[in-house]
Amino acid sequence: MADKIYDVAIIGSGPAGYTAAIRAGQYGLKTALIEKNAKLGGTCLHVGCIPTKALLFNAEIYDHLKEGKEFGLVGAENVKLDWAAIMQRKNKIVLKHAKGLEFLMKKNKVTTIAGYGRLTGPAKSGVFDIEVEGAGGARTITKAKNVLLATGSEARMLPGLEPDARILTNIEILSLDSIPKSLIVVGAGAVGVEFASIYKSFGSEVTILEMLPRLVPLEDEEISKELARVFKKRGINFYVGAKVDKVEKTKDGVAVSITADGKAQKIEAEKILIAVGRKPNTENIGLEKVKNIKVERGFVHTNEWMETGEPGVYAVGDIVAGMPQLAHAGAMEGLVAVARIAGKEAKPLKRELIPGATYCEPQIGSVGLTEAAARERKLDISVGKFPFAGNSKATIVGSHDGFVKVVAGAKYGEILGVLFNEPAATEMISEAVTAMENESTIEEMMFTVHAHPTLYEAMGDAFASVYGMAINA
Ligand SMILES: Cc1cc2nc3c(=O)[nH]c(=O)nc-3n(C[C@H](O)[C@H](O)[C@H](O)COP(=O)(O)OP(=O)(O)OC[C@H]3O[C@@H](n4cnc5c(N)ncnc54)[C@H](O)[C@@H]3O)c2cc1C
């Protein structure tokens, strides 16, 4: 019997790969999804987005109960954490969605193939041979007309360190037996500040070490400042401009030598989390066998349709050069790539319209240009800012921290960027993304009705504040 030839084979079942597979199935493409792990879902589902947000929700409820008196919930402040139950709930959520993915693959007629996939060379007569190494080292060949590389990323470590029970990455920290008394977090990007926030809420003494001069260094400076203010209020310690010189194991934990403010210091804790970025998984997937794929520092270059230089080979997700390592970016890249393969209508992804979402407490949401980036480009801009202190729903939920900041073109009122810092920022950013995707102006958004009382009502005020016309401030 002739070998089956798939229209597309996808290597990696994270959000970039599984989203592409489902859509490819919907388009009627013969689709194979190759995954080396026992379960589908990748970093995002198993050791990233989903388990962290499950823990963050526990942390949020716990924080509210600790302040129960303010809400008339007498005695709530004495609530105890059952760590095993918290971990069980998190695991149940992950498992439910992993099973959901298996169901979706069947529903959309996607063939899942267990094993480690790698390219063996360019297409011969339009067909690629993908070697799949299964359990026990058995090797088989999967044939496909197109290949989507979606192999994702893994945590970078500091030189000389290996993860273990005390030196943690995002993987180990998500299955601890107990809440550490103290935790050092190296790196104040999204992953670092989220774990810092979670474990502080659960009672750990948390210290963040960041090499750059501010927390969340990729966000607007005012956001970093506000986050630093709230983290200080919450008792989260941090050093910025801090260089980690050495990490040593002590009898019960770790000792970290740092240089901060020109001074050498030593900090000790029970555990240390290394959250200094993510390395693309592009070694040993056969890229060297396909000469036309440009790889730079491990990242794969693509055009706006996610095509690499090798006809028929696409790259999506965390491995793509110049794109943010975010699940929703990868998922959309997957959709663009398979639409291209299927010859369907699609829109290339615009880098500046991919929202950033950081789920610490307080949350951060952002899209488009920061004020500093707009000024660097010498754009003629107007900036509006609305603080949540003027929003009635913020008073109801007991959180007045943060603001909405809007960066707009001074002449035509086009929206260039929107940034938030407050409890529901990651949900509220959606309005800004939609407005920018549809090229709405400030005037149009000022006459868009916002339900009352809501947190997102602050958007209407923030848009109006560009012209100094916010109602509630
Ligand atoms: C702690 C943490 C929290 C995060 N929170 C968020 C968040 O809230 N929102 C957000 O948008 N992003 C978040 N991210 C980032 C997000 O997880 C990634 O951007 C996303 O998972 C990338 O998707 P991907 O499909 O490219 O790769 P991955 O999710 O990494 O999946 C890649 C898959 O490919 C498989 N694979 C690799 N090589 C091979 C091979 N050769 N053969 C077969 N299979 C292979 C892997 O086993 C894996 O299943 C978070 C990340 C971390 C670490």
Side-chain angles (χ1 to χ4, degrees):
M1 198 178 82
D3 281 340
K4 179 167 187 173
I5 299 174
Y6 291 96
D7 293 314
V8 55
I10 300 166
I11 308 181
S13 75
Y18 74 68
T19 308
I22 292 169
R23 180 56 54 83
Q26 290 167 344
Y27 283 143
L29 298 175
K30 261 188 254 137
T31 307
L33 181 63
I34 303 165
E35 171 56 56
K36 68 180 170 61
N37 284 349
K39 295 220 161 21
L40 305 180
T43 303
C44 174
L45 177 54
H46 296 281
V47 285
C49 326
I50 303 304
T52 49
K53 269 82 241 178
L55 293 184
L56 268 158
F57 190 60
N58 289 91
E60 192 183 327
I61 299 172
Y62 188 42
D63 283 341
H64 280 307
L65 290 175
K66 282 186 271 182
E67 290 164 4
K69 249 191 201 156
E70 192 195 322
F71 297 91
L73 306 171
V74 182
E77 64 275 18
N78 297 323
V79 69
K80 295 263 176 309
L81 290 178
D82 178 345
W83 186 243
I86 290 173
M87 295 308 256
Q88 230 172 45
R89 179 172 190 273
K90 174 206 70 149
N91 295 341
K92 234 166 99 180
I93 292 168
V94 169
L95 194 63
K96 173 181 181 324
H97 286 273
K99 282 198 177 137
L101 284 178
E102 280 175 26
F103 164 78
L104 289 172
M105 293 313 143
K106 283 195 188 114
K107 181 180 164 201
N108 292 291
K109 301 189 173 50
V110 174
T111 306
T112 51
I113 301 175
Y116 188 100
R118 52 175 81 83
L119 290 164
T120 56
K124 287 184 203 127
S125 311
V127 176
F128 290 92
D129 279 354
I130 301 145
E131 182 187 84
V132 180
E133 190 177 334
R139 290 169 192 227
T140 55
I141 295 289
T142 295
K143 290 182 176 291
K145 294 179 195 160
N146 296 280
V147 181
L148 228 82
L149 304 170
T151 47
S153 65
E154 59 186 42
R156 284 189 199 279
M157 282 308 275
L158 293 177
L161 296 186
E162 284 293 330
D164 61 17
R166 289 186 233 176
I167 298 172
L168 316 171
T169 69
N170 60 300
I171 297 176
E172 297 76 24
I173 197 168
L174 282 166
S175 50
L176 295 177
D177 294 338
S178 58
I179 300 165
K181 286 196 175 52
S182 50
L183 174 70
I184 293 170
V185 176
V186 185
V191 171
V193 295
E194 283 184 19
F195 280 115
S197 187
I198 293 172
Y199 280 93
K200 180 63 194 180
S201 295
F202 288 151
S204 304
E205 180 68 26
V206 175
T207 305
I208 304 173
L209 306 175
E210 169 57 52
M211 197 168 74
L212 292 170
R214 53 194 178 91
L215 299 179
V216 286
L218 298 181
E219 298 287 350
D220 186 270
E221 266 186 56
E222 281 193 82
I223 291 215
S224 297
K225 232 188 245 170
E226 178 69 354
L227 186 68
R229 185 187 73 77
V230 180
F231 268 18
K232 236 180 234 166
K233 196 170 76 177
R234 292 185 59 197
I236 297 175
N237 312 310
F238 55 86
Y239 294 81
V240 290
K243 184 173 163 283
V244 172
D245 298 316
K246 196 159 55 166
V247 177
E248 294 164 289
K249 289 203 179 149
T250 59
K251 190 164 152 276
D252 306 311
V254 288
V256 185
S257 305
I258 63 166
T259 308
D261 289 331
K263 275 191 302 205
Q265 308 183 46
K266 202 172 214 178
I267 304 163
E268 297 200 17
E270 192 181 318
K271 313 253 183 211
I272 184 169
L273 169 71
I274 311 296
V276 294
R278 312 264 315 158
K279 185 168 108 43
N281 293 326
T282 50
E283 279 168 20
N284 203 18
I285 58 168
L287 293 183
E288 69 289 350
K289 304 252 168 73
V290 189
K291 295 285 177 287
N292 296 321
I293 298 183
K294 183 175 171 201
V295 183
E296 201 175 4
R297 294 184 305 114
F299 290 96
V300 178
H301 282 262
T302 67
N303 63 12
E304 75 269 36
W305 301 107
M306 315 318 298
E307 290 164 322
T308 67
E310 183 70 29
V313 180
Y314 296 72
V316 293
D318 277 9
I319 61 170
V320 177
M323 283 298 196
Q325 289 181 304
L326 289 167
H328 45 274
M332 189 53 78
E333 288 159 15
L335 296 179
V336 169
V338 289
R340 186 78 169 168
I341 292 169
K344 303 284 180 187
E345 187 117 342
K347 241 172 39 166
L349 197 58
K350 290 191 197 125
R351 168 77 178 81
E352 66 280 12
L353 293 187
I354 301 172
T358 304
Y359 300 75
C360 52
E361 169 59 40
Q363 294 188 356
I364 302 165
S366 56
V367 61
L369 295 180
T370 61
E371 184 180 349
R375 294 204 189 284
E376 234 167 68
R377 293 186 193 185
K378 307 228 177 320
L379 299 177
D380 185 16
I381 57 169
S382 300
V383 177
K385 192 170 150 193
F386 179 76
F388 279 92
N391 176 274
S392 51
K393 183 68 187 283
T395 313
I396 293 165
V397 302
S399 177
H400 272 147
D401 294 323
F403 53 82
V404 188
K405 183 171 169 182
V406 177
V407 182
K411 192 165 173 199
Y412 301 110
E414 73 276 26
I415 304 164
L416 299 171
V418 178
L419 325 147
F420 292 92
N421 188 205
E422 58 74 59
T426 56
E427 303 283 345
M428 284 173 58
I429 196 65
S430 60
E431 179 176 348
V433 177
T434 309
M436 289 173 70
E437 189 72 52
N438 292 309
E439 300 182 1
S440 304
T441 61
I442 294 293
E443 283 82 356
E444 283 164 333
M445 295 315 293
M446 279 171 74
F447 284 97
T448 298
V449 181
H450 293 82
H452 174 77
T454 55
L455 290 168
Y456 93 100
E457 214 178 346
M459 291 289 294
D461 270 319
F463 288 124
S465 72
V466 171
Y467 298 139
M469 288 199 276
I471 299 299
N472 295 295

